Amino acid sequence: MTNMGVEPDESCKDKDDNEATPKNRKKTVIIGAVGAVVLVVAVALFVFLYFLPYSEAKGEYDAALEQFNAEVTALEERNSELDDSIERLSQVVSAEGLPIDELLLSVAQDVIKEGQEYPKDSAPAAPEPTLSIEGVRSATSDLRDLTKSVSEMGDYDDILTKVNDTETEFRSMIANFSTANAEVIWVNVDQENTVLRFVAKLSNPNNYTLRDVSVEWTALDAQGAIVGSHSGSQPDIPANGFVYYVGGAGSANLSGTPANVELKVTADGLLTNREAPVISVENVQLVDNGFSWYTVTANCLTDTEIKSSQVDGQFIVKDASGNIIGADFWSADNLPDTIEANGRFGASMDYFDLPTIPQSAEAYMYYRWD
């Protein structure tokens, strides 16, 4: 018996495929729509929950960073201002040929050293923001705290004032420096014995003591010819003050009879802040011994130990009108080599045949440095 096969109906298969296609398309559309909605929702959530808050936080951070950088720049400028001030002072006191001694220069050098060693502030690094919103906000908060801290750094007012005032002071003393003014205020010549005596006033116009000044006097006769001269250093001249200089010579050191004396400064000296021994003169007495003989006595007190050979005494006698009528220089020939601090010594000078009756006397004790 023959097995009769039945061929599959192709038309039925195509029918089934055609019937499935619309369903698949609908499913695909639904899935796509759902995916689109999910994507939109995800983007919206990202924008509203992260991007916008992060952008806002990052904007606040950037503004805080700008303010922080401004304060850092201001601090760097204050540091530079201090450095520049120190450099200007250094240039002033390191110039050559200054009319200032090492002791006084050391005052400025100490200020320079103080400025160089003064602790300068430096700003810390800014905190970096993270990708999290809270991280950015935390960095912003830290940055604002650092900005306030940096704004309070660099308080150099005290040292800046000290450096700048020192520069101004030293520039002024250098620019306005002037050597001593030497003025002869009295001249007397003993014609019979050919003895010259004169009184000069050495004035210091500076605001600091003037040391190492040297002067030279020249004695001229009536025809203007030189008949004698002498040069030598003078004691320290106090700031805006003066010292008297009694000079002269006897016949052994004069080649003729003087009629006039000229005095000039031969060494300008240096400004100093050294303190010379103070030799106080007390109880100056003018004694009339009779027969036109007068004696001036004085009690002296030194505040520090001194060498008697370096004591320079000046005695001046005046008449009733206050005019000088006699003067002489004094040296400590009869004193020990050293006089201790708070030590006392006496000094005296004799005068004979003064032109008028003396009414007062003055004595000055100066200290000449070696």
Side-chain angles (χ1 to χ4, degrees), residues 272-300:
T272 184
N273 59 343
R274 73 178 179 184
E275 296 183 1
V278 176
I279 305 174
S280 303
V281 179
E282 305 169 343
N283 194 29
V284 178
Q285 298 291 324
L286 176 63
V287 180
D288 184 355
N289 300 306
F291 305 100
S292 300
W293 169 26
Y294 295 89
T295 301
V296 178
T297 61
N299 297 326
C300 307

Side-chain angles (χ1 to χ4, degrees), residues 89-338:
L89 177 56
S90 298
Q91 291 177 357
V92 170
V93 299
S94 63
E96 296 183 357
L98 296 178
I100 305 172
D101 73 355
E102 291 297 325
L103 189 61
L104 184 52
L105 279 176
S106 68
V107 173
Q109 291 163 350
D110 288 345
V111 173
I112 292 172
K113 182 179 179 182
E114 182 180 351
Q116 291 172 336
E117 295 178 350
Y118 198 87
K120 290 200 286 290
D121 297 320
S122 58
E128 294 291 338
T130 65
L131 293 178
S132 71
I133 296 172
E134 287 304 316
V136 174
R137 288 172 176 169
S138 177
T140 301
S141 177
D142 292 343
L143 196 54
R144 287 169 176 163
D145 291 340
L146 286 178
T147 299
K148 184 176 185 300
S149 176
V150 173
S151 69
E152 296 171 350
M153 293 180 179
D155 183 7
Y156 307 135
D157 287 349
D158 290 344
I159 187 64
L160 264 174
T161 298
K162 191 171 186 178
V163 172
N164 291 336
D165 287 352
T166 302
E167 180 198 351
T168 299
E169 182 178 5
F170 274 76
R171 282 190 184 277
S172 176
M173 75 170 72
I174 294 168
N176 298 317
F177 173 77
S178 180
T179 189
N181 177 46
E183 178 188 9
V184 177
I185 59 176
W186 178 80
V187 178
N188 182 72
V189 178
D190 182 342
Q191 300 285 342
E192 181 178 353
N193 298 301
T194 316
V195 175
L196 168 67
R197 289 292 183 269
F198 67 87
V199 177
K201 188 177 183 180
L202 306 179
S203 304
N204 174 14
N206 303 283
N207 292 328
Y208 281 87
T209 297
L210 190 58
R211 59 173 285 184
D212 300 342
V213 173
S214 293
V215 299
E216 179 183 58
W217 61 260
T218 302
L220 307 173
D221 65 13
Q223 286 72 44
I226 298 173
V227 294
S229 67
H230 177 76
S231 62
S233 62
Q234 298 301 309
D236 291 358
I237 308 174
N240 299 302
F242 66 89
V243 296
Y244 286 117
Y245 168 44
V246 178
S251 58
N253 296 304
L254 295 170
S255 60
T257 302
N260 191 23
V261 173
E262 294 179 350
L263 184 67
K264 65 180 181 180
V265 175
T266 56
D268 291 341
L270 299 171
L271 299 178
T272 184
N273 59 343
R274 73 178 179 184
E275 296 183 1
V278 176
I279 305 174
S280 303
V281 179
E282 305 169 343
N283 194 29
V284 178
Q285 298 291 324
L286 176 63
V287 180
D288 184 355
N289 300 306
F291 305 100
S292 300
W293 169 26
Y294 295 89
T295 301
V296 178
T297 61
N299 297 326
C300 307
L301 172 67
T302 177
D303 66 340
T304 58
E305 183 178 296
I306 59 174
K307 295 180 179 179
S308 60
S309 60
Q310 293 175 226
V311 178
D312 184 16
Q314 321 286 316
F315 282 81
I316 298 174
V317 178
K318 296 181 178 181
D319 63 15
S321 299
N323 299 313
I324 299 174
I325 57 174
D328 218 332
F329 41 85
W330 175 93
S331 58
D333 296 331
N334 59 342
L335 296 179
D337 292 339
T338 300

